[in-house]
Amino acid sequence: MKKTKLYILTAFFIIVISSVFFFNLREKEHNENGSEVKKITKETKESVKEDSLIVFTNFIKDFNSHKAENIDKYIDADLGMMLFYHDGPYPILRINSTLEDEIDWFNQEVFENVNFTDSPIYLGDFEFSKTGFFVKQNKGDFSLRDFDNTYTSHSESFFKENRKLETSCNFSAIGISKNQGGTYHFYFRLEGKKLTLLGLSTESVSDYLFANPKAAFIPFDNKSDIENYFKTQKLFRDKDQNAYIDFDKKEITYYDFPDDPFVFEYFEMGEIQNDSDKIKSVELIFYPDKSNKENGFFTYFSNKGSFVVPSMGVRPPYFYEPIRK
């Protein structure tokens, strides 16, 4: 009986020791295999990233050449590509197979350093937290319906016929213009080393009309700050248009007044707006007299101490900068 118990205990310990040994062996093999898989995956990702870097770098060089034929080679003639830009105030949405007739809308060069990171923050006054060409994988967030169609008024069939542009997109990128005054948004299909351009849009920074890194900021916390500024700064001039705003003479010259200046008696200010983290502006309307508010002259004044009248129709934009007499 005692011998039988001894045999059972001995067998039990042998089974336990064997199980522990077998488990440790499997665990070691699993860890080694797992490490190898992770290593291969990491090397594959780095290889893909390296290949993609070369592809996107070449694309940027072709885009910055400002030659339609260099960009057209990335366009699939059967699919075409989406173009979105503003012709003055009018948003244009169309499908093209070439940039030959639209190249002038995309004439700013972008930074050439490729980053596989999120896009930087725009700080204001033509300054981003970081510059470059920022690439990310597209996860179904490219849709033609996200672009303003109010002016072009494409029918439902337009979106259905060009649906493949959306479903083919697996990468997108934001290129910051070298003057940091705007961004280009690119939508791509990347297959191996073949890059296809599916969409391109352009966007100005939020404070584009008022930003000027060379100009100093003025006090702009309230309307009193602005009114006090006009007590010492009386003359503003647009050199390109040879036009002025003169608080001493109470005159304004502009495209609409070719013969006689617009004479004002007083002005009214709207609410101060934050156009970016750095730039503020306010609508300022000049009136010929207090009884006539139908014929006001609309302007925008910023904390850079300048007036802006945006382009309207054939009228160019006017930038009235402060001039010391």
Side-chain angles (χ1 to χ4, degrees):
M1 186 68 178
K2 289 183 180 179
K3 288 183 178 181
T4 301
K5 288 183 178 179
L6 182 62
Y7 290 147
I8 293 172
L9 287 173
T10 302
F12 174 76
F13 283 119
I14 291 173
I15 292 170
V16 170
I17 292 171
S18 299
S19 299
V20 171
F21 176 78
F22 178 75
F23 175 79
N24 288 336
L25 181 63
R26 289 294 300 275
E27 185 68 18
K28 183 179 179 182
E29 289 176 353
H30 175 75
N31 288 337
E32 288 177 352
N33 290 338
S35 299
E36 188 66 28
V37 169
K38 287 181 180 178
K39 183 180 179 182
I40 292 172
T41 302
K42 183 179 179 182
E43 289 176 350
T44 301
K45 285 184 177 179
E46 289 178 351
S47 176
V48 170
K49 189 173 180 179
E50 185 66 27
D51 289 343
S52 300
L53 178 63
I54 296 171
V55 172
F56 286 115
T57 299
N58 290 336
F59 172 80
I60 297 169
K61 290 179 180 177
D62 285 325
F63 182 80
N64 283 345
S65 72
H66 195 58
K67 294 180 180 179
E69 60 268 25
N70 290 344
I71 307 172
D72 286 352
K73 65 185 181 183
Y74 294 94
I75 302 173
D76 185 314
D78 295 326
L79 281 177
M81 66 169 290
M82 180 209 75
L83 284 177
F84 182 79
Y85 57 91
H86 280 82
D87 185 356
Y90 308 111
I92 307 298
L93 174 64
R94 59 177 51 165
I95 303 297
N96 277 35
S97 57
T98 176
L99 277 180
E100 184 175 357
D101 295 329
E102 279 77 25
I103 191 67
D104 289 339
W105 296 107
F106 308 98
N107 58 2
Q108 292 290 334
E109 291 188 8
V110 298
F111 286 99
E112 298 177 1
N113 51 308
V114 179
N115 297 271
F116 291 92
T117 58
D118 290 335
S119 302
I121 298 171
Y122 179 63
L123 304 176
D125 204 21
F126 294 156
E127 182 184 6
F128 283 82
S129 59
K130 188 179 180 181
T131 57
F133 190 87
F134 298 86
V135 181
K136 68 175 184 178
Q137 283 191 306
N138 179 71
K139 298 179 180 178
D141 55 358
F142 171 43
S143 173
L144 299 179
R145 297 180 186 277
D146 291 339
F147 298 89
D148 192 340
N149 185 41
T150 54
Y151 180 69
T152 45
S153 300
H154 293 296
S155 65
E156 184 66 21
S157 61
F158 171 86
F159 298 97
K160 290 182 179 179
E161 290 169 2
N162 296 291
R163 173 67 177 154
K164 195 171 182 180
L165 289 175
E166 302 169 344
T167 58
S168 299
C169 181
N170 60 359
F171 278 90
S172 61
I174 294 179
I176 298 173
S177 65
K178 289 185 177 180
N179 64 4
Q180 299 190 55
T183 54
Y184 288 113
H185 299 249
F186 302 89
Y187 303 90
F188 299 105
R189 177 179 64 200
L190 178 60
E191 296 175 313
K193 295 183 180 181
K194 180 175 175 56
L195 189 67
T196 303
L197 180 61
L198 304 173
L200 170 58
S201 67
T202 181
E203 184 177 328
S204 298
V205 294
S206 58
D207 56 5
Y208 179 80
L209 287 174
F210 313 109
N212 182 359
K214 295 180 181 179
F217 291 96
I218 66 169
F220 211 85
D221 291 329
N222 50 57
K223 294 181 181 180
S224 295
D225 286 340
I226 300 171
E227 290 170 347
N228 289 333
Y229 178 75
F230 293 147
K231 290 178 182 178
T232 55
Q233 180 59 51
K234 301 287 190 178
L235 182 63
F236 302 81
R237 175 163 293 154
D238 182 317
K239 293 181 180 179
D240 291 338
Q241 312 298 335
N242 191 28
Y244 61 81
I245 297 176
D246 192 325
F247 279 84
D248 279 335
K249 295 181 179 179
K250 293 191 174 182
E251 292 180 349
I252 300 173
T253 55
Y254 177 66
Y255 186 96
D256 289 351
F257 324 122
D259 300 320
D260 298 308
F262 175 88
V263 179
F264 63 92
E265 181 181 298
Y266 80 111
F267 60 83
E268 290 183 352
M269 278 188 282
E271 296 299 320
I272 294 175
Q273 304 295 322
N274 292 317
D275 296 283
S276 68
D277 288 345
K278 292 185 177 183
I279 303 295
K280 301 176 183 178
S281 67
V282 63
E283 185 179 62
L284 198 149
I285 310 171
F286 294 90
Y287 292 104
D289 56 69
K290 292 185 178 181
S291 62
N292 184 2
K293 289 193 175 182
E294 293 183 0
N295 298 317
F297 183 74
F298 289 73
T299 67
Y300 294 90
F301 184 71
S302 76
N303 60 339
K304 285 292 185 170
S306 302
F307 284 94
V308 174
V309 180
S311 60
M312 293 181 288
V314 296
R315 307 172 187 85
Y318 276 63
F319 300 93
Y320 298 92
E321 305 290 342
I323 301 295
R324 296 291 182 184
K325 285 188 175 181

